[in-house]
Amino acid sequence: MKRLAAILLATLATPVAAQTATPSSGSPQSTTLRGGPKLIVAISVDQLSADLFAQHRNRFTGGFARLLNGAVFPSAYQSHAATETCPGHSTILTGARPAKTGIIANTWIDQRAPRADKQVYCAEDERVPGSTSKAYTASDVHLKVPTLGERMKAADPASRVVAVAGKDRAAIMMAGRRADEIWWWNGKTYATYAGRAEPGAVTRGKAAVAALVARPQEALPLPGWCASSDRPITVGTQTLGQGRFAREAGDAAAFRASPVSDAAVLGIAAGLIQDMQLGKRAAPDLIAVGLSATDYIGHATGTQGAEMCIQMAELDRALGDFFAVLDSYAIDYQVMLTADHGAHDMTERHIQRAMPMAAHIAPELQAKRIGAAIGQALGVAGPVLLGSEADIYVDRDLPAPTRARVLAEAKRRYSAMPQVAAALTRAEVAATPVPTSPPETWTLAERARASFDAERSGDLLVMLKPRVTTIEVPGPGYVETHGSPWDYDRRVPLLFWRKGMTGFEQPLSVETVDIAPTLGAMLGVETPEVDGRCLDLDPGTGTTCR
């Protein structure tokens, strides 16, 4: 199949001068960063759970197979409670948990926000007049800590930091501030911050993707080893489980939720590496690559159907082609691949497959409903509770004694709900010591503590019991989700590969906050005050944690 090759060719067909460019005599040269890899390639596969990776790893023959020859940590933890896209991406290249990054969820409530819509998106600037959490100006304003790329630039301004992703929050949270290039798919094309010039690789990539979207997509073949996944499942009004990604001409939404969207991101990344000559100068560079198709496909069709099986096969091949292109550039590059969170397959399929206790969240757990009942019981007018995912906020305009009564009653009511595992007040979470034990041993309060930000977190944190999904009524594009404090959402793979390294596998748990100090040590970049630790990727007597 020629889809990825066509995109790569489109992005790599640069002028000869660009292909052979070398730094001019006036180009800044590195004076502080020596001896490590010349290019860090940091890849995040959105929603690639450790369980999904383990399920398919013995079938991989492409890019994943290469990475499996490196340092393999099959049990890396996004150790916090709020296992969503934005918090997860904020940990990967900062070395900090959401309690420090400030990215507690994809969205949260800010009752002081200067607009009627008090919901704030993690990667927006809500101060922009007329914006909402759905129609916003993308921004890094909410990220409170530096990324590895920012630290590299502080150590040597000649280092360049680039990001390209299928979502704005993935690109922004991994690149941080001061990115030389930062691009993401906005639903129609690839976008960046207003006022930034468009490089040739992005121009070529946008044109190639526009041509792909404009044409219909034939059904993708089903690999033989996916036959056991090829089973229909009824979810509401839909029949899923046997999709092949056939797409009508012009359907950009279907393109986004298909394997080819990852191939497009990888193609643009390869083009940016070539055009910018990343990894070719004395100062090391970093490119963050956010692959979002697995997440969109998972939400729309679940993790155990033919759709996801095809996606795993196509992603493996796309990564293999991408690495082959990087090999042709003759640069010393270090790959890191992980995920922002895991996932929980659709309730309906779980019930059919030996998990009859799986359930959708009960409508009685809506913050609006519980708030109305509390208001009536206490004689308080108005929406006394506001909800954003697991964070529940008490109306800040209520008198302090009334707020205390509302919070106590909310805790009592939520705690009594059969589907609720814990309802913790912000005081209880704040008083919990930051955990230092292996992440799989953490209590729910400790997991909540890793997600807690005093400025942004709710007054009450509600965590559902295992196998209860936050989807009340499944519908098109949304039959499966994540966000729980349970290990199927917390555990992700973590893989490191560099040419010539001696590989090994460590099954004991690590954390995604270990990534930044691990890569920083290779580059000689200090990462003070992070939550993670350097992982020694030398399996012998030597160490990469110098």
Side-chain angles (χ1 to χ4, degrees), residues 163-212:
V164 58
K167 296 180 182 178
D168 55 9
R169 54 188 178 268
I172 291 169
M173 294 301 148
M174 289 198 292
R177 302 166 183 86
R178 301 181 63 192
D180 295 272
E181 294 291 348
I182 181 167
W183 294 86
W184 58 81
W185 178 257
N186 68 2
K188 297 179 180 179
T189 188
Y190 293 92
T192 188
Y193 297 128
R196 293 178 66 108
E198 182 176 290
V202 174
T203 300
R204 297 191 302 275
K206 288 170 67 173
V209 169
L212 280 173

Side-chain angles (χ1 to χ4, degrees), residues 116-395:
D117 175 14
K118 300 302 182 182
Q119 186 163 277
V120 174
Y121 174 56
C122 61
E124 70 156 319
D125 186 349
E126 68 276 14
R127 298 167 299 181
V128 176
S131 66
T132 72
S133 60
K134 301 296 184 183
Y136 55 84
T137 297
S139 173
D140 57 25
V141 67
H142 292 304
L143 185 62
K144 293 183 174 182
V145 296
T147 61
L148 178 62
E150 291 176 70
R151 295 182 189 274
M152 290 169 64
K153 281 184 167 291
D156 191 329
S159 287
R160 290 159 298 169
V161 176
V162 175
V164 58
K167 296 180 182 178
D168 55 9
R169 54 188 178 268
I172 291 169
M173 294 301 148
M174 289 198 292
R177 302 166 183 86
R178 301 181 63 192
D180 295 272
E181 294 291 348
I182 181 167
W183 294 86
W184 58 81
W185 178 257
N186 68 2
K188 297 179 180 179
T189 188
Y190 293 92
T192 188
Y193 297 128
R196 293 178 66 108
E198 182 176 290
V202 174
T203 300
R204 297 191 302 275
K206 288 170 67 173
V209 169
L212 280 173
V213 173
R215 299 194 302 268
Q217 170 66 59
E218 295 181 359
L220 302 185
L222 184 74
W225 49 274
C226 292
S228 62
S229 301
D230 188 27
R231 298 287 185 273
I233 180 79
T234 300
V235 187
T237 60
Q238 303 178 87
T239 299
L240 304 172
Q242 296 184 301
R244 300 290 191 273
F245 300 105
R247 173 177 48 79
E248 294 182 358
D251 191 341
F255 164 82
R256 181 184 69 175
S258 72
V260 71
S261 67
D262 283 344
V265 168
L266 290 167
I268 293 174
L272 287 167
I273 292 169
Q274 177 185 266
D275 287 10
M276 297 177 69
Q277 295 286 283
L278 299 182
K280 290 286 191 178
R281 303 193 303 176
D285 301 316
L286 181 149
I287 184 166
V289 183
L291 304 178
S292 303
T294 302
D295 186 69
Y296 286 122
I297 292 166
H299 283 305
T301 66
T303 65
Q304 297 301 308
E307 300 93 344
M308 187 60 76
C309 195
I310 292 172
Q311 163 63 5
M312 289 294 98
E314 292 292 319
L315 177 58
D316 178 48
R317 179 163 57 181
L319 287 169
D321 289 350
F322 176 63
F323 296 148
V325 170
L326 297 193
D327 291 343
S328 73
Y329 294 166
I331 54 178
D332 178 10
Y333 66 96
Q334 168 72 61
V335 179
M336 182 286 302
L337 183 145
T338 190
D340 54 344
H341 54 73
H344 187 244
D345 193 29
M346 65 177 72
T347 298
E348 290 74 11
R349 190 151 45 208
H350 276 309
I351 291 173
Q352 288 189 6
R353 297 185 178 183
M355 293 294 151
M357 71 293 290
H360 292 283
I361 188 172
E364 291 76 20
L365 278 165
Q366 293 178 6
K368 184 176 181 180
R369 284 198 182 192
I370 292 180
I374 292 174
Q376 184 176 16
L378 300 182
V380 180
V384 298
L385 295 182
L386 297 84
S388 177
E389 302 296 337
D391 285 284
I392 306 299
Y393 301 77
V394 179
D395 183 355

Side-chain angles (χ1 to χ4, degrees), residues 387-519:
S388 177
E389 302 296 337
D391 285 284
I392 306 299
Y393 301 77
V394 179
D395 183 355
R396 69 190 299 264
D397 292 331
L398 295 173
T402 303
R403 293 186 80 252
R405 291 172 62 203
V406 169
L407 179 59
E409 183 64 11
K411 178 178 172 64
R412 185 189 71 79
R413 289 176 181 252
Y414 273 108
S415 298
M417 293 287 185
Q419 291 184 333
V420 172
L424 305 173
T425 66
R426 63 185 292 114
E428 291 173 324
V429 176
T432 301
V434 174
T436 57
S437 59
E440 69 271 23
T441 69
W442 292 6
T443 66
L444 287 179
E446 289 173 327
R447 300 174 195 195
R449 180 66 181 83
S451 291
F452 179 74
D453 177 275
E455 179 185 1
R456 296 170 183 166
S457 293
D459 297 300
L460 188 69
L461 180 67
V462 177
M463 290 176 282
L464 301 179
K465 290 181 177 178
R467 299 178 177 84
V468 178
T469 178
T470 54
I471 297 176
E472 185 178 329
V473 179
Y478 194 52
V479 300
E480 164 263 85
T481 193
H482 47 84
S484 82
W486 306 110
D487 280 5
Y488 48 73
D489 283 345
R490 295 171 76 219
R491 288 178 60 248
V492 297
L494 174 56
L495 311 172
F496 296 90
W497 180 90
R498 185 180 180 188
K499 185 177 180 180
M501 74 178 292
T502 300
F504 67 91
E505 181 153 345
Q506 173 52 268
L508 297 179
S509 63
V510 297
E511 294 186 65
T512 54
V513 294
D514 299 333
I515 295 167
T518 299
L519 296 175

